[in-house]
Amino acid sequence: MILFSLKKRLSLPITSWQLCLLASIGGALSAMLIVGFTMATTALQELYLSEKDNYNSINELSRFLLPIFGAITILLVSWITGYKYLRTGIPFVLHRLKVAHGVIPLRNTIHQFIGSAIALASGFSVGREGPAIHLGAAFSGYLGSLLKLPHNSIRTLSACGVAAAISASFNTPVAAVIFVMEVILREYKVHIFIPIMMASLVGSMITTSALGPAHEFEYFKTIVLELEHYPVLILFAIGIGILSFGFNKYLVATIKSSEKYHIVSRLMLAALITSSLSFVVPQALGTNFGAIDFSISDNPSLFFLMGLLIAKLIMTISALGLGIPGGAIGPVLGIGAITGSCAAVFIQSYYPETSLTSDFALMGMAGMMAATLNAPLAALITVVELSNQLEVIVPAMIIIGTSCIVSGQFFGNRSLFVMQLEIQNLIYRKPPLEKSLQRVGVLGVMNENFEVTTQLSEQEKQEFLSQCKDNYFLIDKVDNEESKSSVYYSVQYQIHENTENETNDNAELYHQLLLPLHAQATLMEVYSLLEKKRKGAVYIYGDNMDDVLGIITFAQVRRFLLEGNIN
């Protein structure tokens, strides 16, 4: 009974402490999984690296063989889990949120955990945030599915898992919330925002407890950018906008052109490209952190930085485009930082009194993330939290605004994730009507004023209904031997229930066959069943189809769409 009351509460699109509690639990579980994933990746690297992401510590032959062995192991994992479960990462999560309320197949999640850990440890230029988002969404979604919660609340829990995973990965709780609202859900609702915020907070607390309070970007020092640097910053932002367009274009083109080849050929080609470039630029191997640290701390020449940038672009496009499991955000931040370091070296002679390397690297990260993902607010909050400086806001807004305008308006660039979904023919958009109906679960709005009967005559039914208040139903249990179904239900109710803006006190009967619908469904499923005839009703059942919980008519759904109120 308590669980049923909880489900009814969660069916409604309102803020509730119950959903916040579940979001915190799901966020905690997701964050612990991400901490385990991070530790697993680090443990694999420690088998052959003396320092995290420092591939210079191994010889050239080992650097060459490492991605190849990694690709072979990933293929073995893919063969075990099944090749049809290869889809992973942020685009796949976006797709599942639209078509399956955030529920993700278990085999995809297993492949994501093992395959991405191997890819990250093998030196491929992929990020850990893609696997983290997939794992977080899956784990919180599993919690909702285990409790058989309404689909609208499972979707919210999946989004909470994403926030907790991002927060646990980078220790950036605010940026995690904004990223979920701006990129994952692409909408803002208070009843969703608060649980997501709670999950992100829990994720940050867990990663701080397990891995310490520091994050990977503490080497950014005090911002020295001033008003005199802003004209150069705008020119740099234009370059970032063009670079982000080129990155998205060639990555999507690689995905499209490689679809006709088998996964074995694709992964081995990605491994060979990564291995070959490791001879020349070993600093480009691995996640973005090693490349960022090198480009800022070691004062490399402009020529070497340009080579590092080209190698990082090729490695990232080939790895992600050919199917290596991993995320795009990490490499995008790395590419932006290296580009900023290049710009700083180029203009340093004009401003010899100050070192602009770390500032331009941070600005490059902000502009590249914003223009590539079409997520300006998430990019702004990310660099603020990573640098722990509010002074970064004004210059970051300049570069984010300029790069997004240049990339979007002049080159037609869009979000990388949207482009990936389109090229892979994955559904990610829903009409506004469908999005509105998906927010409401049937348990919270169903009519529970009904009586199930099998023996009453028509006259007895008429007399019974005449004594009842409006919106009261009688349900006849009917055996259907032809279809070998256990039971069917037909409904009889007062005629004025089916008329618009009229009152009819006659206790006439309206007969309609009821369609069954599970209690986890939303109003969208009701609309889909009744849309063709635009009339009728469904009955909501629980664990079995004989367990009638309530009734929802098409007139109720129509009233909700027109007035926002179903009663």
Side-chain angles (χ1 to χ4, degrees):
M1 188 64 184
I2 296 177
L3 184 58
F4 181 74
S5 299
L6 172 65
K7 292 177 181 179
K8 288 190 65 175
R9 180 73 180 181
L10 298 181
S11 296
L12 299 173
I14 56 177
T15 304
S16 65
W17 68 265
Q18 295 93 333
L19 183 56
C20 290
L21 178 60
L22 285 173
S24 300
I25 295 172
L29 295 174
S30 298
M32 287 188 285
L33 182 65
I34 301 310
V35 170
F37 174 77
T38 303
M39 290 180 172
T41 304
T42 303
L44 288 174
Q45 285 188 329
E46 289 176 349
L47 295 176
Y48 46 84
L49 296 182
S50 58
E51 185 180 350
K52 183 179 179 180
D53 287 335
N54 183 13
Y55 291 89
N56 274 324
S57 61
I58 56 177
N59 58 53
E60 293 180 347
L61 179 60
S62 298
R63 286 202 303 267
F64 182 83
L65 294 177
L66 185 60
I68 296 175
F69 286 149
I72 294 173
T73 309
I74 294 171
L75 286 170
L76 179 61
V77 174
S78 303
W79 177 72
I80 294 172
T81 57
Y83 288 127
K84 69 177 182 178
Y85 296 101
L86 285 176
R87 293 193 188 278
T88 56
I90 298 176
F92 185 67
V93 171
L94 290 170
H95 169 67
R96 296 297 295 183
L97 280 169
K98 294 300 180 182
V99 303
H101 311 286
V103 178
I104 297 175
L106 179 60
R107 290 194 183 186
N108 289 87
T109 304
I110 294 173
H111 178 266
Q112 179 72 98
F113 188 100
I114 302 175
S116 297
I118 295 170
L120 289 166
S122 301
F124 287 102
S125 183
V126 294
R128 69 187 186 196
E129 77 294 324
I133 288 173
H134 182 120
L135 295 171
F139 219 67
S140 289
Y142 295 152
L143 174 64
S145 298
L146 180 65
L147 296 175
K148 296 183 179 180
L149 298 180
H151 287 152
N152 62 316
S153 57
I154 293 178
R155 178 175 179 267
T156 301
L157 286 178
S158 295
C160 292
V162 172
I166 298 174
S167 184
S169 296
F170 297 106
N171 199 12
T172 53
V174 180
V177 174
I178 300 301
F179 182 85
V180 171
M181 307 304 291
E182 187 176 32
V183 178
I184 303 299
L185 295 180
R186 305 177 73 180
E187 63 177 343
Y188 176 88
K189 298 293 180 182
V190 174
H191 73 278
I192 299 175
F193 178 85
I194 294 177
I196 288 174
M197 182 176 65
M198 298 299 294
S200 180
L201 175 62
V202 171
S204 178
M205 293 171 62
I206 287 179
T207 193
T208 300
S209 301
L211 304 177
H215 50 61
E216 310 257 4
F217 296 94
E218 285 193 334
Y219 41 68
F220 288 117
K221 299 178 181 179
T222 303
I223 294 293
V224 297
L225 286 172
E226 298 179 356
L227 188 61
E228 62 178 314
H229 302 123
Y230 287 178
V232 178
L233 194 63
I234 292 174
L235 293 176
F236 174 56
I238 293 173
I240 285 290
I242 297 173
L243 180 63
S244 65
F245 160 73
F247 176 80
N248 283 9
K249 177 182 177 181
Y250 286 106
L251 176 54
V252 171
T254 302
I255 295 173
K256 184 177 181 180
S257 61
S258 65
E259 283 182 337
K260 56 188 176 184
Y261 300 107
H262 193 270
I263 186 64
V264 174
S265 301
R266 301 202 317 256
L267 294 195
M268 293 310 299
L269 177 59
L272 288 173
I273 293 173
T274 301
S275 297
S276 301
L277 289 173
S278 69
F279 276 111
V280 184
V281 193
Q283 292 82 2
L285 285 170
T287 60
N288 56 304
F289 308 124
I292 293 175
D293 189 38
F294 174 79
S295 63
I296 293 176
S297 305
D298 291 6
N299 297 316
S301 65
L302 178 61
F303 177 78
F304 190 85
L305 281 173
M306 291 297 294
L308 177 61
L309 175 61
I310 294 172
K312 195 67 176 175
L313 284 167
I314 295 174
M315 282 185 178
T316 303
I317 291 173
S318 62
L320 294 175
L322 295 173
I324 296 294
I329 299 178
V332 163
L333 292 175
I335 290 168
I338 298 169
T339 306
S341 299
C342 291
V345 173
F346 183 75
I347 66 172
Q348 193 64 57
S349 59
Y350 298 97
Y351 303 98
E353 70 282 358
T354 55
S355 176
L356 299 174
T357 302
S358 62
D359 289 6
F360 267 76
L362 191 63
M363 294 301 102
M365 293 165 62
M368 194 70 186
M369 178 179 175
T372 302
L373 308 182
N374 194 22
L377 185 56
L380 175 63
I381 302 301
T382 297
V383 294
V384 170
E385 286 196 290
L386 291 178
S387 63
N388 288 323
Q389 299 177 77
L390 292 177
E391 293 80 3
V392 76
I393 291 178
V394 173
M397 290 175 70
I398 292 173
I399 194 165
I400 287 172
T402 305
S403 61
C404 286
I405 290 173
V406 170
S407 177
Q409 182 172 348
F410 296 103
F411 292 94
N413 194 32
R414 295 178 298 154
S415 169
L416 174 62
F417 302 138
V418 171
M419 296 171 71
Q420 286 179 289
L421 286 165
E422 290 179 349
I423 203 68
Q424 295 172 6
N425 295 318
L426 296 176
I427 297 173
Y428 71 97
R429 284 179 176 170
K430 293 289 185 181
L433 178 145
E434 189 166 338
K435 291 175 66 176
S436 178
L437 293 175
Q438 281 184 337
R439 298 190 188 110
V440 185
V442 294
L443 281 180
V445 294
M446 65 185 180
N447 191 324
E448 298 180 70
N449 298 320
F450 65 89
E451 185 82 23
V452 179
T453 179
T454 57
Q455 300 294 329
L456 293 181
S457 65
E458 291 293 301
Q459 183 177 356
E460 289 173 327
K461 294 174 186 176
Q462 206 169 39
E463 292 176 355
F464 181 87
L465 286 173
S466 64
Q467 300 173 7
C468 297
K469 59 183 180 179
D470 292 350
N471 300 322
Y472 200 92
F473 298 86
L474 278 179
I475 301 176
D476 263 350
K477 184 176 180 181
V478 181
D479 293 327
N480 192 325
E481 298 180 357
E482 293 182 2
S483 63
K484 296 182 180 179
S485 300
S486 57
V487 291
Y488 274 79
Y489 292 88
S490 67
V491 63
Q492 290 81 32
Y493 53 93
Q494 297 181 74
I495 192 67
H496 67 257
E497 171 65 19
N498 196 46
T499 59
E500 297 183 13
N501 302 321
E502 295 181 7
T503 300
N504 189 334
D505 294 328
N506 296 326
E508 299 179 34
L509 299 180
Y510 177 81
H511 298 264
Q512 174 67 47
L513 182 68
L514 285 175
L515 300 175
L517 190 63
H518 193 269
Q520 286 184 283
T522 66
L523 286 183
M524 185 58 221
E525 283 76 21
V526 179
Y527 183 82
S528 299
L529 288 173
L530 305 178
E531 177 188 13
K532 190 173 182 180
K533 294 183 178 180
R534 307 191 74 79
K535 63 179 181 179
V538 301
Y539 76 91
I540 311 303
Y541 66 91
D543 294 333
N544 60 76
M545 295 182 69
D546 292 337
D547 182 21
V548 183
L549 302 177
I551 306 292
I552 296 181
T553 66
F554 185 80
Q556 288 177 282
V557 178
R558 181 172 53 198
R559 193 178 304 122
F560 172 79
L561 292 172
L562 294 176
E563 304 173 8
N565 182 15
I566 200 167
N567 297 316

